[in-house]
Amino acid sequence: MRMRMEGGEEMQGAVGLRCAWDFAPPAGTQAKWVKLNVGGTVFLTTRQTLCREQKSFLCRLCQGEELQSDRDETGAYLIDRDPTYFGPILNFLRHGKLVLDKDMAEEGVLEEAEFYNIGPLIRIIKDRLEEKDYTVPQVPPKHVYRVLQCQEEELTQMVSTMSDGWCFEQLVNIGSSYNYGSEDQTEFLCVVSKELYNSASGLSSESSHKAKV
């Protein structure tokens, strides 16, 4: 077998301290595990995981075909990005799900997903952000109460003409009577209520119509 010394001299046999083979190493001899130094934090994963998205920066990086990256003293690829948001990126490539800590902003993960060119993850985060934009916060309804004073003969008409969401709550006989002609009329207090829902701007959605008597 012929080998060539670093100085350019050729020699026969397998004698020599440092040499370079005349032929390339066989295909498939790349290490299965890959170390990434992202912003000072080291992540260990496999080439198979990084190449789940063939067009991603990470796949091209570990294949070494299109990108050249510096390495640290341990041989890990150096990537100048935020390691906090790299965890969800790597986990998505592992199992295909977006998992975030409660204090982690989706916008931050989206920035990293776009940098690494992880197409499916970009679409998932954008869809989630759009859903938040269109979601109207649910505000508990408020109850408004009104007290209407009427006479006995007016009760039926008052209850039948209530509209716009007003509901009858309570009837109180206040015990006062007035003489109109030959008949005494008893006075009542009628309590009615209505639910008011607040809009996102904080304005009441109460109708302009009032309870009718």
Side-chain angles (χ1 to χ4, degrees):
M1 182 176 298
R2 175 177 296 178
M3 294 187 295
R4 184 173 61 249
M5 299 296 293
E6 286 189 345
E9 299 178 3
E10 293 185 354
M11 61 175 295
Q12 298 287 335
V15 181
L17 297 178
R18 300 179 62 185
C19 60
W21 300 104
D22 280 340
F23 52 86
T29 59
Q30 288 183 319
K32 174 182 177 181
W33 293 94
V34 179
K35 284 198 297 184
L36 304 173
N37 186 333
V38 182
T41 301
V42 176
F43 295 85
L44 183 63
T45 185
T46 65
R47 294 182 183 276
Q48 181 181 4
T49 295
L50 296 179
C51 290
R52 290 281 167 79
E53 290 299 321
Q54 296 292 324
K55 297 181 180 179
S56 71
F57 168 87
L58 297 171
C59 180
R60 294 162 57 197
L61 177 67
C62 69
Q63 287 179 342
E65 297 177 357
E66 302 180 36
L67 300 177
Q68 296 295 329
S69 175
D70 294 334
R71 303 198 186 199
D72 64 12
E73 62 278 2
T74 67
Y77 290 103
L78 287 167
I79 303 177
D80 186 20
R81 300 297 293 184
D82 189 345
T84 303
Y85 290 100
F86 183 72
I89 300 291
L90 186 57
N91 284 331
F92 178 81
L93 292 175
R94 286 168 172 159
H95 49 61
K97 296 180 181 179
L98 175 60
V99 180
L100 302 178
D101 294 336
K102 61 179 182 179
D103 298 327
M104 186 172 293
E106 292 177 333
E107 291 82 357
V109 182
L110 177 60
E111 287 290 334
E112 299 306 298
E114 290 177 340
F115 172 80
Y116 295 111
N117 194 29
I118 312 294
L121 181 56
I122 294 173
R123 290 190 292 271
I124 289 175
I125 300 177
K126 285 186 175 181
D127 288 343
R128 290 176 58 162
L129 292 175
E130 288 179 1
E131 289 178 2
K132 286 185 177 181
D133 291 339
Y134 285 103
T135 300
V136 178
Q138 297 296 324
V139 180
K142 295 181 180 180
H143 286 81
V144 174
Y145 294 89
R146 288 180 178 165
V147 179
L148 308 174
Q149 185 174 354
C150 61
Q151 297 175 0
E152 183 177 0
E153 64 180 8
E154 299 172 329
L155 283 175
T156 302
Q157 179 184 3
M158 184 196 67
V159 173
S160 63
T161 56
M162 283 193 305
S163 61
D164 300 327
W166 289 98
C167 300
F168 174 80
E169 293 286 346
Q170 188 177 4
L171 184 67
V172 180
N173 186 335
I174 61 177
S176 298
S177 60
Y178 298 89
N179 186 286
Y180 295 90
S182 59
E183 297 181 359
D184 291 337
Q185 294 291 330
T186 304
E187 295 287 319
F188 291 91
L189 296 180
C190 183
V191 182
V192 296
S193 69
K194 182 178 181 180
E195 288 185 349
L196 297 182
Y197 293 87
N198 291 335
S199 63
S201 61
L203 300 177
S204 173
S205 59
E206 179 183 3
S207 172
S208 60
H209 298 286
K210 307 299 180 182
K212 300 177 182 179
V213 180

